[in-house]
C-alpha cells in the first residue's frame, strides 16, 4: 500500500510539473519587456521557484532525520536522512540548472560568485551530493551514519541563510516574489495560479520521492540483516 501511495504521488506530481512547464511557456502572461533583458527566459521561473521550495522541504526532512538518528539512533530517522538528501539533491539540481538558464539569458552569465543567495544554495546542493555519494561509497555503520548526520545537522544552517539572503544582500538574484512583506513581491492572478500549481506539484512529487526512498532504504536494511544472519550461521 505504501509503495502504491508513493508511486501515485510521484505520478501525479510529475504530471503537474509537466503541466506547470507547459502553462508557464504557453499560457501565463508575459512580463514587462522593459523590466527584463530576456523576458522569455523569465518563464522558467515557474519551475525554478517551486523546485527551490521543494528543495527546502527536502532539506528540512534531512535535518529532521539527522536529528532523530544522531540523538535517538532511530532507524526511521536514518531513512528520513537518506530520503531528504536524495530529494534535496534532485530538486537542488533542478533549481541550480534552471537558475543558470535564467542567469545566462538575463545577466549574461550563468553564475555570479559574489551573490550570497546563489552560493549558499549551491553549497546546500553540494552538501546533498556529498551525502548521497558518500553513503554509496562508504560501508554502512554507526560511525558512518553519525558523520553524515552531523553534516546534515550543521548544513541546515544554510537553509534560513539562503531564504533571507536577498533581503539582506540583494546583488543579482531578485528578492522574494511572494512573502516579501512590503507588497513588492505580488504577482498577477494568472502568474500566481501557475506558480501555485508548480508549488503543489513539486510538493506532491517530492513527497512521493521521499516515501519511495524511505521504502528502498528500509528494504536495503532488511536485506543487510538477512545477509548478516546468513553469514553468522556459516
Amino acid at each position: 500500500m505504501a509503495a502504491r501511495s508513493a508511486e501515485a504521488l510521484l505520478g501525479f506530481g510529475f504530471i503537474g510539473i509537466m503541466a506547470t512547464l507547459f502553462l508557464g511557456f504557453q499560457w501565463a502572461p508575459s512580463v514587462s519587456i522593459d523590466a527584463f533583458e530576456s523576458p522569455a527566459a523569465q518563464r522558467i521561473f515557474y519551475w525554478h521557484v517551486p523546485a527551490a521550495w521543494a528543495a527546502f522541504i527536502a532539506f528540512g526532512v534531512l535535518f529532521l532525520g539527522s536529528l532523530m538518528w544522531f540523538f535517538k539512533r532511530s532507524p526511521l530517522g536514518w531513512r528520513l536522512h537518506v530520503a531528504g538528501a536524495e530529494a534535496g539533491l534532485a530538486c537542488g539540481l533542478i533549481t541550480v540548472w534552471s537558475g543558470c538558464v535564467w542567469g545566462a539569458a538575463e545577466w549574461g552569465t550563468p553564475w555570479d560568485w559574489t551573490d550570497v543567495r546563489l552560493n549558499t544554495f549551491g553549497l546546500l546542493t553540494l552538501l546533498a551530493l556529498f551525502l548521497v555519494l558518500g553513503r554509496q561509497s562508504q560501508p554502512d555503520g554507526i560511525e558512518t551514519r553519525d558523520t553524515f548526520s552531523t553534516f546534515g545537522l550543521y548544513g541546515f544552517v544554510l537553509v534560513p541563510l539562503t531564504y533571507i539572503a536577498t533581503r539582506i544582500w540583494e546583488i543579482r538574484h531578485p528578492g522574494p516574489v511572494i512573502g516579501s512583506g512590503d507588497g513588492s513581491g505580488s504577482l498577477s492572478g494568472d502568474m500566481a495560479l501557475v506558480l501555485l500549481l508548480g508549488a503543489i506539484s513539486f510538493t506532491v512529487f517530492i513527497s512521493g520521492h521521499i516515501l519511495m526512498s524511505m521504502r528502498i532504504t528500509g528494504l536495503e536494511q532488511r536485506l543487510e540483516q538477512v545477509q548478516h544472519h546468513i553469514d553468522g550461521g556459516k
Side-chain angles (χ1 to χ4, degrees):
M1 183 63 69
R4 292 182 179 178
S5 298
E7 292 172 355
L9 289 173
L10 282 170
F12 284 121
F14 181 78
I15 292 172
I17 288 171
M18 292 298 103
T20 299
L21 188 64
F22 175 80
L23 292 173
F25 277 93
Q26 299 295 328
W27 181 75
S30 179
V31 296
S32 171
I33 300 298
D34 297 331
F36 295 93
E37 293 293 330
S38 181
Q42 179 270 346
R43 291 180 177 275
I44 206 167
F45 140 96
Y46 297 107
W47 249 37
H48 179 73
V49 174
W53 160 259
F56 284 144
I57 293 176
F59 290 127
V61 172
L62 169 63
F63 175 76
L64 177 61
S66 300
L67 197 68
M68 291 173 63
W69 170 260
F70 193 83
F71 291 103
K72 297 292 186 180
R73 292 293 188 269
S74 168
L76 173 61
W78 179 247
R79 292 197 294 272
L80 285 170
H81 168 96
V82 173
E86 293 177 349
L89 177 60
C91 288
L93 289 175
I94 294 174
T95 305
V96 170
W97 168 78
S98 57
C100 287
V101 171
W102 158 259
E106 181 67 21
W107 306 329
T109 178
W111 199 269
D112 184 350
W113 294 104
T114 67
D115 192 285
V116 176
R117 185 165 195 169
L118 297 182
N119 293 322
T120 54
F121 192 90
L123 286 174
L124 273 171
T125 305
L126 286 176
L127 170 65
L129 178 63
F130 167 75
L131 294 176
V132 171
L133 295 182
R135 174 177 172 268
Q136 294 176 353
S137 61
Q138 298 295 319
D140 190 20
I142 300 296
E143 293 183 356
T144 301
R145 295 184 181 186
D146 285 348
T147 299
F148 290 146
S149 62
T150 300
F151 277 101
L153 290 172
Y154 285 107
F156 187 75
V157 174
L158 291 169
V159 172
L161 180 60
T162 300
Y163 180 75
I164 66 173
T166 52
R167 300 169 186 262
I168 303 175
W169 310 285
E170 185 172 339
I171 300 174
R172 278 192 187 270
H173 196 287
V177 295
I178 53 176
S180 59
D182 57 4
S184 62
S186 61
L187 296 173
S188 67
D190 292 342
M191 295 175 72
L193 183 62
V194 178
L195 184 63
L196 178 61
L197 174 63
I200 293 174
S201 299
F202 267 95
T203 301
V204 171
F205 182 82
I206 208 69
S207 299
H209 191 295
I210 289 171
L211 290 175
M212 184 64 72
S213 178
M214 291 177 63
R215 177 173 173 78
I216 292 173
T217 303
L219 292 174
E220 290 175 349
Q221 292 173 338
R222 290 174 59 185
L223 182 60
E224 289 177 1
Q225 293 174 354
V226 171
Q227 186 63 49
H228 285 316
H229 180 74
I230 294 174
D231 293 341
K234 292 182 178 179

